[in-house]
Amino acid sequence: MKRFFQPVPKEGSPAKKRPVSTDSGADASAAGEEPRKFVTWNANSLLLRMKNDWPVFCDFVSRVDPDVICVQEVRMPAAGSKGSPKNPSELKDDTSSSREEKQVVLRALSTPPFKDYCVWWSLSDSKYAGTAMIIKKKFEPKKISFNLDRTSSKHETDGRVIVAEFESFLLLNTYAPNNGWKEEENSFQRRRKWDKRMLEFVQQVDKPVIWCGDLNVSHEEIDVSHPDFFISAKLNGYIPPNKEDCGQPGFTLSERRRFSNILSQGKLVDAYRYLHKEKDMDCGFSWSGHPIGKYRGKRMRIDYFIVSEKLEDRIVSCEIHGRGKEREGFYGSDHCPVSLEFSEAGPEPKSSN
């Protein structure tokens, strides 16, 4: 089969020129046009979605027609044989099973509407975590990075970050680590370290940011369906020693306070809440608990588009595309897609002063 994926440019260098199609708008990058329509989705195993739910997701993509699709929880292993260094930018294909799985992905991404896109991967060593960024071919990023420092050639652990630089903004796709339930399992420390690095990133960027993905935090009580349930949640009766770490991972007071600080210090706006001020019990949550069991009907908004204040006037829409406790519009995942649309850029961005 003809190779579908294009080489990833070296860090710090412009993206290598690719052949572009001859359809109208194919020279958008040359004309200075930039992406304005975005989708983020935690697929909870992209391979499984491609095997079981791809036609309906393709219908969704055709309908929304995003310029960029950011995916989390790809759960496809990086290239490289056992015991050898891995290449997180390429899919594993050194065994018969991994080659078959790669062919499933190649076929899915080579048919409409995805034949009009290019894809970049940041993958874990195993079927865990991982991210992908799928960009229409007509929009050429200046640079693609896979690390929050944007200077290292290394990928973040578990493939949790992809950054695309365009002329007037950075697009950041992240899959934040879950806070976990217990201090002694080091998950609290891992999440604190992640939040510290995110704070440093948003304080140091030199362009406006569009930050999207599964951020694994519900900011306010309005962002969960049953606040009392999530505040009092425990795992096997365990109560962390620090009261601020108690409750459902993603809704602990410590996580929510750190997230507030990141937004404040980074001069960032929650695009969905910017437009939707009231709680929506039907369509206001991006994650939904399993339809069977104690989490049935328990929902959280943990998938976001966060944008720099300089970009807030360009927000046209930000929508959560799933609804209800039966996970309508989730396409087989426990998360549903979230979309953002911008208006065309004006002559000058809004001043943050």
Side-chain angles (χ1 to χ4, degrees):
M1 179 179 285
K2 184 178 178 181
R3 181 178 175 85
F4 173 79
F5 302 108
Q6 303 293 336
V8 176
K10 293 182 179 180
E11 301 294 323
S13 65
K16 201 172 187 177
K17 290 295 180 186
R18 299 179 178 84
V20 294
S21 59
T22 57
D23 58 52
S24 61
D27 57 349
S29 293
E33 185 182 348
E34 294 183 308
R36 294 192 294 112
K37 297 171 71 176
F38 310 87
V39 162
T40 182
W41 184 41
N42 179 320
N44 192 17
S45 177
L46 189 60
L47 181 66
L48 286 180
R49 304 291 78 81
M50 288 175 167
K51 288 181 175 180
N52 301 320
D53 309 278
W54 205 238
V56 287
F57 183 68
C58 286
D59 289 344
F60 166 78
V61 172
S62 296
R63 185 171 68 254
V64 176
D65 191 28
D67 300 323
V68 184
I69 304 167
C70 293
V71 184
Q72 306 84 45
E73 275 205 273
V74 170
R75 293 191 183 180
M76 295 285 289
S81 57
K82 186 175 182 180
S84 66
K86 303 297 190 290
N87 179 1
S89 295
E90 294 285 346
L91 296 167
K92 181 178 177 68
D93 62 358
D94 64 307
T95 65
S96 58
S97 61
S98 64
R99 282 191 291 272
E100 289 174 4
E101 291 175 347
K102 184 173 181 177
Q103 291 306 309
V104 171
V105 176
L106 289 172
R107 285 192 294 269
L109 294 178
S110 298
T111 55
F114 289 94
K115 65 183 181 65
D116 296 326
Y117 294 79
C118 287
V119 61
W120 284 263
W121 305 99
S122 187
L123 304 171
S124 177
D125 290 352
S126 61
K127 289 186 176 181
Y128 173 72
T131 52
M133 190 176 287
I134 306 170
I135 304 175
K136 278 187 176 178
K137 293 175 183 178
K138 67 181 183 179
F139 297 108
E140 187 74 31
K142 296 180 66 177
K143 175 183 173 184
I144 297 284
S145 306
F146 304 94
N147 193 295
L148 286 175
D149 64 21
R150 296 175 56 218
T151 58
S152 170
S153 61
K154 294 182 178 180
H155 288 237
E156 289 287 341
T157 302
D158 299 326
R160 293 184 179 274
V161 171
I162 302 179
V163 187
E165 179 180 353
F166 294 94
E167 186 64 36
S168 66
F169 64 84
L170 298 176
L171 177 61
L172 170 65
N173 174 21
T174 67
Y175 175 40
N178 190 284
N179 190 61
W181 294 92
K182 295 185 178 182
E183 178 71 69
E184 55 265 33
E185 294 175 348
N186 294 322
S187 58
F188 289 178
Q189 182 179 354
R190 179 180 69 161
R191 182 55 189 258
R192 291 186 195 110
K193 182 178 179 180
W194 170 271
D195 288 342
K196 181 176 183 293
R197 294 187 63 218
M198 283 305 314
L199 176 61
E200 293 169 351
F201 177 90
V202 301
Q203 289 177 317
Q204 295 171 5
V205 289
D206 53 357
K207 287 184 177 182
V209 175
I210 302 170
W211 173 23
C212 70
D214 177 358
L215 308 191
N216 255 321
V217 62
S218 292
H219 190 202
E220 305 287 354
E221 290 195 2
I222 192 176
D223 297 314
V224 297
S225 60
H226 299 76
D228 291 342
F229 173 87
F230 290 113
I231 288 170
S232 60
K234 302 182 184 68
L235 180 65
N236 299 326
Y238 175 79
I239 300 177
N242 185 344
K243 185 177 180 180
E244 291 191 349
D245 293 322
C246 293
Q248 177 74 30
F251 198 59
T252 64
L253 190 56
S254 58
E255 292 172 274
R256 294 161 59 196
R257 285 178 173 172
R258 291 195 301 268
F259 189 57
S260 290
N261 190 45
I262 292 171
L263 298 185
S264 174
Q265 295 298 316
K267 295 182 172 58
L268 300 169
V269 175
D270 176 347
Y272 178 82
R273 195 55 69 204
Y274 178 76
L275 297 176
H276 305 272
K277 308 298 185 185
E278 303 298 325
K279 189 168 187 172
D280 184 342
M281 285 296 292
D282 190 33
C283 303
F285 310 104
S286 61
W287 174 89
S288 183
H290 197 282
I292 300 174
K294 71 175 183 179
Y295 277 89
R296 173 176 171 79
K298 308 301 190 298
R299 290 165 288 165
M300 308 175 76
R301 188 172 72 94
I302 57 178
D303 304 88
Y304 292 80
F305 278 99
I306 305 294
V307 306
S308 296
E309 290 178 355
K310 292 180 179 181
L311 299 173
E312 69 177 32
D313 287 344
R314 293 185 58 195
I315 299 173
V316 172
S317 68
C318 186
E319 302 298 331
I320 296 172
H321 291 271
R323 64 187 305 158
K325 60 182 69 175
E326 303 300 333
R327 295 178 173 176
E328 179 185 342
F330 281 61
Y331 308 109
S333 178
D334 52 351
H335 297 246
C336 68
V338 180
S339 66
L340 172 72
E341 182 176 356
F342 272 178
S343 62
E344 292 185 11
E348 289 292 338
K350 177 182 175 181
S351 173
S352 60
N353 295 328

